[in-house]
Amino acid sequence: KIPPLIVSLHMPKTAGNSFKAVLDEHFKEALKNDYADYPINVEPHERHRQAVAGCLATTAEDYREIRCIHGHFLPVKYLLLADLLPVVFVTWMREPLARLVSHYHYWYDAYDPQSADTRPLHRRVVEEQWSLEQFCLSPDMRNLYSQFLWGFPLERFNFIGITENYESDLRAF
């Protein structure tokens, strides 16, 4: 019997890096990091198109040596993979306002204007000196969970951890 492939969605500021470290330790080379397309840096129509294109291009053969995928992506990208292989979908969530405030401060603290990896939205927020209110109410940051979960039913997750309960939820996972 084939063990299930774990598809782990890392939504920003929800303990995703901590969970990634656990996955790294457990899966080692059988872990695929998928951080190529940070969804909020792309206009909605384009991010949806990219996710669907990725979904349609995926084959079971692509994941023969992979036991876990983790990263920033729209999970719909891997939805059809579940028709080809046993797949377990997991993610972590955090109280939305605490997540937003953490994200806001993280972007200011981590800002590097010289880095080619600094995305346009991140650059705009810092260089235009957005207030916390502007950040929270901007269309790009509002309803972030809904943006990531576009086209993916919440019921498809086999596990949703809560960041505020990280230790106990990690044990349950």
Side-chain angles (χ1 to χ4, degrees):
K1 183 179 176 186
I2 300 172
L5 171 68
I6 296 173
V7 175
S8 172
L9 169 62
H10 174 183
M11 289 194 264
K13 308 315 296 168
T14 61
N17 286 328
S18 298
F19 191 55
K20 179 185 178 306
V22 170
L23 297 173
D24 274 333
E25 185 176 318
H26 182 77
F27 290 104
K28 300 182 180 8
E29 65 280 344
L31 173 67
K32 175 186 177 186
N33 290 301
D34 184 355
Y35 285 92
D37 53 333
Y38 190 60
I40 63 171
N41 288 315
V42 179
E43 290 298 317
H45 176 76
E46 181 58 20
R47 86 175 68 125
H48 299 162
R49 189 198 66 70
Q50 288 174 3
V52 170
C55 181
L56 295 173
T58 298
T59 68
E61 185 62 24
D62 296 335
Y63 298 94
R64 186 176 48 190
E65 304 297 321
I66 304 297
R67 298 298 355 122
C68 183
I69 303 164
H70 178 77
H72 292 306
F73 49 78
L74 299 187
V76 72
K77 177 179 182 179
Y78 295 104
L79 192 57
L80 290 180
L81 189 58
D83 289 344
L84 306 173
L85 301 168
V87 175
V88 171
F89 291 97
V90 304
T91 195
W92 291 82
M93 292 187 175
R94 182 176 186 179
E95 190 280 318
L97 184 57
R99 197 214 61 74
L100 268 168
V101 170
S102 177
H103 200 158
Y104 175 80
H105 291 294
Y106 172 75
W107 270 10
Y108 272 90
D109 292 344
Y111 183 64
D112 179 358
Q114 306 306 318
S115 173
D117 291 334
T118 302
R119 308 295 181 146
L121 179 59
H122 185 177
R123 195 173 297 283
R124 271 186 38 228
V125 167
V126 176
E127 291 180 2
E128 294 175 11
Q129 299 180 341
W130 286 16
S131 67
L132 177 59
E133 181 179 9
Q134 252 181 302
F135 183 82
C136 292
L137 297 177
S138 75
D140 294 309
M141 301 311 292
R142 194 173 37 226
N143 299 320
L144 195 71
Y145 293 148
S146 294
Q147 291 185 57
F148 268 82
L149 298 175
W150 172 85
F152 190 89
L154 196 59
E155 305 80 49
R156 287 294 282 126
F157 282 105
N158 301 84
F159 173 83
I160 299 174
I162 303 301
T163 303
E164 289 82 359
N165 304 326
Y166 183 77
E167 293 301 323
S168 62
D169 283 2
L170 182 59
R171 282 190 300 276
F173 175 77

